[in-house]
Amino acid sequence: MANPKEGGLIKKGQQDGLKLAVSILEENGLPLGLLPLADVIEVGFVKTTGYMWILQTKKVEHTFKLIKKQVSYDTEITGYVEKKRIKKLKGVKAKELMLWPPVNDISVDDPPTGKIQFKSLAGITKTFPEEAFAAVLPHDGG
């Protein structure tokens, strides 16, 4: 089997990696706050296949305050990015009651309705307002 990372653009480190991740989301019409990453080691993207991978030093748990949804991002996140969608996503889980079903497909409605859908392998589909995943700008704590 061919290496899915072959021919990919690779950026190392938090700053460059995050920049690449955000530009991939932006180019594909996805909310920029979808991947709240910390301590990025590497981000890669293969334009021809849409394959993206993210390596970070530790798991990140993030709560999207607007929808009160807790999401866990593993040390390795992979998926295929296309217009308005990430499919075959691995490494992302959203808390549902006491369970953490893996999210494997994210899509933004096209034409835009302001909604974004998350599907899990368990067959659970959740729809949220897209603005819940808007980029969170760093603030000074004030």
Side-chain angles (χ1 to χ4, degrees):
M1 199 175 124
N3 177 357
K5 296 181 178 182
E6 207 171 299
L9 169 67
I10 297 172
K11 295 288 182 189
K12 303 270 188 192
Q14 172 73 16
Q15 209 174 352
D16 291 343
L18 200 55
K19 232 181 252 171
L20 177 60
V22 166
S23 74
I24 294 166
L25 293 173
E26 197 168 29
E27 280 168 30
N28 289 285
L30 292 159
L32 304 185
L34 212 49
L35 301 168
L37 307 170
D39 300 324
V40 173
I41 302 165
E42 176 182 299
V43 174
F45 184 60
V46 183
K47 221 173 176 64
T48 51
T49 61
Y51 184 74
M52 174 177 80
W53 69 94
I54 297 166
L55 303 176
Q56 45 187 3
T57 54
K58 58 181 185 288
K59 277 173 87 162
V60 174
E61 281 192 11
H62 180 81
T63 301
F64 291 97
K65 290 185 177 65
L66 195 68
I67 54 171
K68 295 177 179 60
K69 177 62 68 186
Q70 202 176 7
V71 181
S72 160
Y73 297 85
D74 230 321
T75 52
E76 183 174 6
I77 301 163
T78 62
Y80 290 86
V81 182
E82 54 190 54
K83 269 279 175 256
K84 306 269 187 201
R85 185 164 178 216
I86 303 174
K87 58 184 186 180
K88 294 187 182 165
L89 184 64
K90 290 186 172 76
V92 178
K93 295 180 174 124
K95 191 167 190 186
E96 287 299 330
L97 305 169
M98 302 307 286
L99 302 169
W100 288 87
V103 175
N104 72 320
D105 194 292
I106 298 175
S107 59
V108 173
D109 288 352
D110 194 13
T113 59
K115 299 280 184 221
I116 183 165
Q117 273 144 19
F118 295 80
K119 295 186 183 96
S120 78
L121 290 170
I124 301 166
T125 299
K126 293 281 182 187
T127 303
F128 297 109
E130 224 181 298
E131 69 263 23
F133 303 94
V136 180
L137 299 171
H139 57 83
D140 56 12

